[in-house]
Amino acid sequence: MCDRTRCAGSIVQVVELTGTIHDKLAERHLVPAEHVVDSGCASRAHIEQAQRVHGITLLGPSPTTAPSEAAPGFDKAAFGVRGPSTSR
């Protein structure tokens, strides 16, 4: 992952950079109101820290929802392909 604040190789977990990214954005007076992240960056600690330190609302999958409790997704059958309409 690369952004304007830091480049991370595969060894560095993106989750470790969330706070650093927010700090660098704050130094430039570019703190967003909201930051959309994936599940690795949406822990309770990250959500609380982003709000407390920078006033950022961190948006991502709920850290309390286990995959078995999540709503079912779409499978292949949900996406059909239709040909040209034959009715006029």
Side-chain angles (χ1 to χ4, degrees), residues 10-81:
S10 60
I11 297 172
V12 177
Q13 296 289 325
V14 175
V15 67
E16 296 173 25
L17 297 179
T18 305
T20 301
I21 291 168
H22 293 164
D23 293 342
K24 295 294 183 182
L25 289 170
E27 289 174 7
R28 296 178 180 189
H29 305 286
L30 297 172
V31 175
E34 297 177 335
H35 180 185
V36 180
V37 296
D38 65 13
S39 61
C41 302
S43 71
R44 288 184 176 140
H46 287 107
I47 292 169
E48 186 275 330
Q49 181 183 17
Q51 184 63 51
R52 178 177 44 81
V53 175
H54 297 293
I56 298 172
T57 300
L58 210 55
L59 303 172
S62 171
T64 60
T65 303
S68 62
E69 298 171 4
F74 295 102
D75 64 3
K76 193 174 173 181
F79 299 95
V81 177

